[in-house]
Amino acid sequence: MTAQLNPRGDVAVLVPAAGAGVRLGPGRPKALRLLAGEPLLVHAVRRLAAAASVHTIVVAAPIAEVAAVRELLAPIAPVTVVPGGAERQESVAAALAAVPVGPDIVLVHDAARALTPPALVESVAAAVRSGHDAVIPVLPVVDTIKEVDADELVLGTVDRRALRAVQTPQGFRRSVLAAAHAAAGDALTDDAGLVEKQGVPVFCVPGSDHALKITRPFDLALAEHLLATGLRTRTLNS
């Protein structure tokens, strides 16, 4: 059954999904790798569509896969699929250009964070709605962090109390994200980084352990385990 997005919602979600994902090993583009028998992108879109304030979802797919991705997602939700670019920033810009008039809040989400709960989507959107121009979900850094030189010699220990691991979705006032992409010079893999370069303050909200990024085979195995132990129901109902 196809999920119905909220026609009165104020949130558009962009999903750049054109990357190759070489760290997962050879095969299809990363967003189309299987997790528990379904592509990562399907898991991600299903959870985005379950967020109550989402009006529009736009996926930037590999150019050769646009028709296939459109067909893949049709049973999940009414998603707009556009050709992505060679770099993530190009894919985000292409997806942003396809957002219809209406939503004033734009979230950018990695398909590789396929198990992100709808509650986190709503938390980021709510923070933008409350007046912040840019919002990112974060988790505290728990490992000891060392700074090293080119020869792998330790230069010192970094104080982790001021460090955060950044997740997605990242949320923005639509006009702020559009201006940041219009002014972009060097390609960045983080949309908040583009906004920071424009001098816009970026606000942090608590992230989720379930919003892990599936980048390596180990991550895929961990996500499989989480789904097998009941995460599917919990995240879609949270």
Side-chain angles (χ1 to χ4, degrees):
M1 179 173 156
T2 303
Q4 296 303 308
L5 303 181
N6 182 359
R8 297 184 179 179
D10 59 353
V11 176
V13 188
L14 316 181
V15 186
V22 293
R23 284 175 289 182
L24 265 179
R28 300 194 74 188
K30 179 164 66 173
L32 301 179
R33 304 293 180 94
L34 297 184
L35 167 63
E38 293 183 307
L40 295 176
L41 182 59
V42 167
H43 289 278
V45 167
R46 183 180 290 124
R47 285 161 175 77
L48 294 172
S53 61
V54 173
H55 174 283
T56 299
I57 300 173
V58 183
V59 172
I63 293 175
E65 303 279 358
V66 169
V69 169
R70 192 175 286 128
E71 183 178 354
L72 176 70
L73 296 177
I76 309 301
V79 175
T80 300
V81 182
V82 300
E87 303 290 341
R88 184 181 187 279
Q89 185 179 323
E90 296 171 359
S91 292
V92 173
L96 181 59
V99 175
V101 174
D104 188 48
I105 297 171
V106 177
L107 309 187
V108 184
H109 186 53
D110 293 333
R113 298 187 188 273
L115 304 185
T116 297
L120 184 58
V121 176
E122 289 298 312
S123 176
V124 172
V128 178
R129 198 176 293 120
S130 72
H132 298 286
D133 286 331
V135 177
I136 57 174
V138 301
L139 292 177
V141 174
V142 296
D143 292 321
T144 297
I145 304 296
K146 299 286 187 182
E147 181 183 3
V148 301
D149 64 16
D151 296 318
E152 297 299 319
L153 294 174
V154 172
L155 298 175
T157 302
V158 179
D159 185 354
R160 69 186 180 197
R161 290 176 296 179
L163 301 179
R164 298 293 184 271
V166 180
Q167 301 180 318
T168 69
Q170 298 182 356
F172 308 91
R173 189 72 55 193
R174 182 173 181 168
S175 58
V176 169
L177 183 62
H181 274 272
D186 298 334
L188 293 178
T189 60
D190 175 68
D191 292 276
L194 289 178
V195 170
E196 289 168 32
K197 294 183 75 171
Q198 300 303 305
V200 177
V202 178
F203 183 70
C204 298
V205 297
S208 169
D209 289 332
H210 294 151
L212 73 157
K213 188 174 185 179
I214 300 172
T215 301
R216 306 160 299 166
F218 175 82
D219 305 324
L220 196 61
L222 176 58
E224 293 264 8
H225 173 73
L226 290 171
L227 282 174
T229 54
L231 177 63
R232 181 189 301 271
T233 300
R234 292 201 302 275
T235 56
L236 287 177
N237 292 334
S238 59

